[in-house]
Structures are given as structure tokens and as C-alpha cells.
Amino acid sequence: MTTTHFDNVSVTTKANVYFDGKCVSHGFTLADGTKKSVGVILPATLTFNTGAPEIMECVGGSCDYKLDGTDVWVTSGEGDKFNVPGNAKFQIRVTEGFEAYHYICHFG
Amino acid sequence: MTTTHFDNVSVTTKANVYFDGKCVSHGFTLADGTKKSVGVILPATLTFNTGAPEIMECVGGSCDYKLDGTDVWVTSGEGDKFNVPGNAKFQIRVTEGFEAYHYICHFG
């Protein structure tokens, strides 16, 4: 099931713009202090580096992802989640002509 | 003064992606039901159409805007606001090589 919204949060008004705008996200904080972000990845193949571990949850569109140390591209669509370890690299690929990948990034 | 965040809101996880991703926004709702959005416009010249009147507040970067019926481009930087009437057209221009325009869109 897709997480359509988060209630009772504090949203940061300025976006994070990565890779010349191929990835745009807005951070927000839950009432208990937990930080998350919501974002979009436009058609591109991008390499990300984690600090803390992340869970990426798809809320629209889809992507293929490849974790470091594997040769396998896995598709992640609406409602799907995948885990990325801390201090790791991973790639996300959104195919040209397809809808952007809309995601929630959960940390920790 | 720049509005850095909004507390106690409900944020929509899926973004609005306009103009092939040149404009990306996330909607949110205040506790009293008021709807707003936070977004980014990447370098481009875009024409928008309003339904309800809007107040555009810059929270990072800058743009030039031109209201319908005028020939004047006006610069809007961090902390600046401008009003757009309802059912109107306006243009926003962000110059290539400059930081994206980060905004809050207040409706009504």
C-alpha cells in the first residue's frame, strides 16, 4: 500500500537539488524527531552515497536500482521498498520517456 | 525574513512534476486546512496559469517573473514575495547557470 501523506510534520521549505535537478527532495521531521524526505528522480542514471542506512519507498512511477557489489538491476514500483546499507553506494536508473520515480527516503 | 519551515502540517508524498521536471513541488496542508506547496524551478522560462490567486514566496535562489499584461521582468530573491491574480498567466525565468528558484506557493 502506498504512503500518500505524513501528518503532523515540520516541512523544510528549501529543497535539496542534486545532479542539476535530476533529483529534487524536501526534508521533513516527524513529531518524534525522526527525519525523512520526499523526492523525485527524473529520467537519468545516478549514483548516490549513503551516510546512515536508508529505506527507499516508491510512491509513484518506478525505477531500477543496483546496490554496490551486485550486478543486478532490480525494479522498484509504487508501494515497493528497498534497503540501502550505511556508507554505501547505490545507483538509480529511471528510463527516458517514463514517469519520474517518486520516493520517500526513511533514514536509520 | 525567509520562512524556513512549516510546523504541524500534512505533507503529500507524491510530487507534482511540471514541464518535464523543470518545476517540481510537494503539496502540504496546515492544521486549519489551508493548502500550500513548496517547490523548485530549474533554469528555464516557463508560463504558468493560476486558478486561485497565488502568492509566490522565494526561500532560496531567485527568478525573474513577468505578470500577464506587462512587459516588465521583475527579480524576486530570497525573502521576496509577489502576488498573481486568479485565472491569470505569468512567466518565471531562471537563468541557466544560476541556482534554482526555491519557493512557497500560498493560495487564495
Side-chain angles (χ1 to χ4, degrees):
Chain A
M1 213 184 93
T2 306
T3 307
T4 58
H5 57 278
F6 283 91
D7 292 333
N8 194 20
V9 306
S10 176
V11 66
T12 302
T13 57
K14 189 172 180 182
N16 309 297
V17 178
Y18 304 107
F19 303 107
D20 287 330
K22 292 297 185 188
C23 177
V24 171
S25 73
H26 279 89
F28 62 96
T29 308
L30 305 191
D32 70 2
T34 306
K35 290 184 186 302
K36 298 182 188 290
S37 66
V38 282
V40 165
I41 298 175
L42 302 172
T45 301
L46 305 176
T47 302
F48 294 90
N49 294 281
T50 61
E54 295 180 5
I55 300 168
M56 295 289 286
E57 176 180 350
C58 181
V59 295
S62 68
C63 76
D64 303 317
Y65 69 90
K66 189 163 79 71
L67 300 179
D68 210 22
T70 78
D71 291 323
V72 186
W73 287 94
V74 180
T75 299
S76 186
E78 196 172 321
D80 294 339
K81 296 180 186 181
F82 64 95
N83 289 270
V84 187
N87 300 309
K89 252 196 310 204
F90 68 109
Q91 287 181 277
I92 289 190
R93 178 175 70 190
V94 177
T95 304
E96 199 65 48
F98 281 69
E99 191 190 355
Y101 170 65
H102 295 247
Y103 67 89
I104 305 163
C105 179
H106 308 269
F107 297 105
Chain B
M1 212 184 95
T2 306
T3 307
T4 58
H5 57 277
F6 283 91
D7 292 333
N8 193 21
V9 305
S10 176
V11 65
T12 302
T13 57
K14 189 171 181 183
N16 308 298
V17 178
Y18 305 107
F19 303 107
D20 287 329
K22 293 297 185 188
C23 177
V24 171
S25 74
H26 279 88
F28 62 96
T29 308
L30 305 190
D32 69 1
T34 305
K35 289 184 185 306
K36 298 181 188 291
S37 66
V38 282
V40 165
I41 298 175
L42 302 172
T45 301
L46 305 176
T47 302
F48 294 89
N49 294 281
T50 61
E54 296 179 6
I55 299 168
M56 296 290 286
E57 177 180 351
C58 180
V59 295
S62 68
C63 76
D64 303 316
Y65 68 90
K66 187 163 80 72
L67 300 179
D68 210 22
T70 77
D71 291 322
V72 185
W73 287 94
V74 180
T75 298
S76 186
E78 196 173 320
D80 294 339
K81 296 180 186 180
F82 64 94
N83 289 271
V84 187
N87 302 308
K89 252 197 309 205
F90 69 108
Q91 287 181 279
I92 288 190
R93 178 176 70 190
V94 176
T95 305
E96 200 65 50
F98 281 70
E99 191 189 355
Y101 170 66
H102 295 247
Y103 68 87
I104 304 162
C105 180
H106 309 269
F107 297 105

